[in-house]
Amino acid sequence: MTLPDSVRAALEDAAQTIVEATYVTALAGAGMSAESGIPTFRGPGGLWKKYGEPDNLGYQRFLKDPQQWWEERLSENQMPEMREALEKAEPNPGHYALVDLERIGALRHLVTQNVDNLHRAAGSESISEIHGNHTLIRCIKCVRRFRRDEISLDKLPPECPTCDGLLKTDTVMFGEPIPPDVLRRCQEEAALSDCVLILGTSAIVYPAAALPEVARRLNGATLIEINPNETALTEVCDIVVRAPTGEALPELVTAVRRAQGHGEVSGGILEAT
């Protein structure tokens, strides 16, 4: 692929920054999923434009009548485009590039807002899914997660086999608090970060959007945005790469490897051998 010179220059700056950093994390958003064919919710052509954006009472309705919620959830009528896209979607080059960055020691942790499981399918291991994972079922009492094939849905609502708590899908609903274990891990990672990659996210959904700001406030973290569009965080980012993540991230991996080979980096995450 041919990237503009300005984008390549920004990627070189980003690579050098990553190699010189001590703890690099990433925040990924819907733009990465869109590159795998998964519809977005917000913005032009988003699902909310067609179906209307839900109110913030979804979780309360679930708690009031979990049986009805499960029956509706299992119906084939809810956003069929999303169901079909999730079934067909596969990781794209951006997902695999993040795995490469993790394996060469250049990326310590990934926080994703996406529920599509594509980061895990690609091979990411140090990961927090702040909005959940659509392939899992979670107990709202003990927060334990189960694969869908581990839970019988013959009786609704299903109960947790560990604590008899109420089970729901792992995806975080409107009005539902972020699961405490995931939120705590995300906050811990942000507190360690001195460099954050902000990837394909509009940066308007909180608390996820606050994590780069936390890293900057606590550690003076360098913020690197990779996105074809301007976002809510663009103005505070130190390096901006105006390109899709699926195109830019593989090039970033190459640039990081090249930067690692230029000799020792004082205080860096890796040293050339």
Side-chain angles (χ1 to χ4, degrees):
M1 73 189 72
T2 302
L3 294 173
D5 290 343
S6 59
V7 171
R8 291 192 176 277
L11 286 171
E12 291 294 334
D13 290 343
Q16 192 61 43
T17 298
I18 289 169
V19 171
E20 293 173 355
T22 58
Y23 204 97
V24 181
T25 59
L27 172 66
M32 292 200 70
S33 297
E35 292 180 51
S36 286
I38 296 175
T40 59
F41 289 98
R42 293 177 173 83
L47 291 177
W48 296 155
K49 296 293 184 181
K50 179 177 181 179
Y51 294 101
E53 185 166 352
D55 57 34
N56 285 320
L57 301 176
Y59 187 57
Q60 284 66 36
R61 283 192 287 270
F62 165 77
L63 294 176
K64 183 178 180 179
D65 193 342
Q67 179 177 346
Q68 180 180 351
W69 183 89
W70 269 104
E71 290 172 349
E72 293 176 353
R73 185 73 182 186
L74 296 174
S75 166
E76 295 296 327
N77 297 324
Q78 286 195 341
M79 290 191 293
E81 305 99 319
M82 179 60 77
R83 284 176 176 262
E84 183 177 354
L86 288 172
E87 290 174 359
K88 293 181 177 180
E90 295 182 355
N92 64 58
H95 294 101
Y96 289 114
L98 290 177
V99 176
D100 289 338
L101 288 174
E102 181 181 350
R103 289 178 178 171
I104 65 175
L107 179 66
R108 298 295 190 93
H109 194 74
L110 167 65
V111 176
T112 180
Q113 300 171 83
N114 303 325
V115 303
D116 50 38
N117 195 52
L118 294 182
H119 289 290
R120 291 191 185 276
S124 288
E125 295 182 0
S126 182
I127 181 172
S128 293
E129 294 162 314
I130 194 168
H131 295 156
N133 183 317
H134 85 104
T135 70
L136 302 177
I137 291 176
R138 168 169 45 87
C139 175
I140 65 172
K141 182 178 179 181
C142 71
V143 203
R144 182 177 175 185
R145 293 163 180 82
F146 305 89
R147 298 191 315 272
R148 292 209 172 194
D149 60 8
E150 294 180 293
I151 300 298
S152 171
L153 299 179
D154 292 338
K155 176 186 175 183
L156 299 178
E159 294 181 350
C160 177
T162 301
C163 73
D164 296 326
L166 192 61
L167 294 179
K168 67 176 291 294
T169 54
D170 187 40
T171 52
V172 176
M173 302 168 60
F174 278 84
E176 178 183 5
I178 301 297
D181 58 336
V182 174
L183 183 59
R184 181 170 57 252
R185 177 69 187 275
C186 292
Q187 292 170 336
E188 291 170 351
E189 293 294 332
L192 292 170
S193 303
D194 62 348
C195 178
V196 181
L197 307 179
I198 305 169
L199 310 171
T201 175
S202 59
I204 61 174
V205 179
Y206 284 76
L211 298 175
E213 297 170 336
V214 170
R216 164 156 282 193
R217 184 176 71 251
L218 295 180
N219 303 317
T222 301
L223 305 185
I224 301 172
E225 179 176 76
I226 301 180
N227 198 311
N229 304 308
E230 185 171 341
T231 77
L233 287 179
T234 297
E235 289 188 359
V236 299
C237 287
D238 302 281
I239 300 172
V240 175
V241 179
R242 278 285 168 261
T245 55
E247 296 178 12
L249 283 173
E251 296 294 329
L252 180 62
V253 174
T254 300
V256 167
R257 291 182 186 274
R258 188 162 54 243
Q260 290 171 348
H262 285 334
E264 287 193 1
V265 179
S266 176
I269 49 178
L270 288 175
E271 295 178 353
T273 55

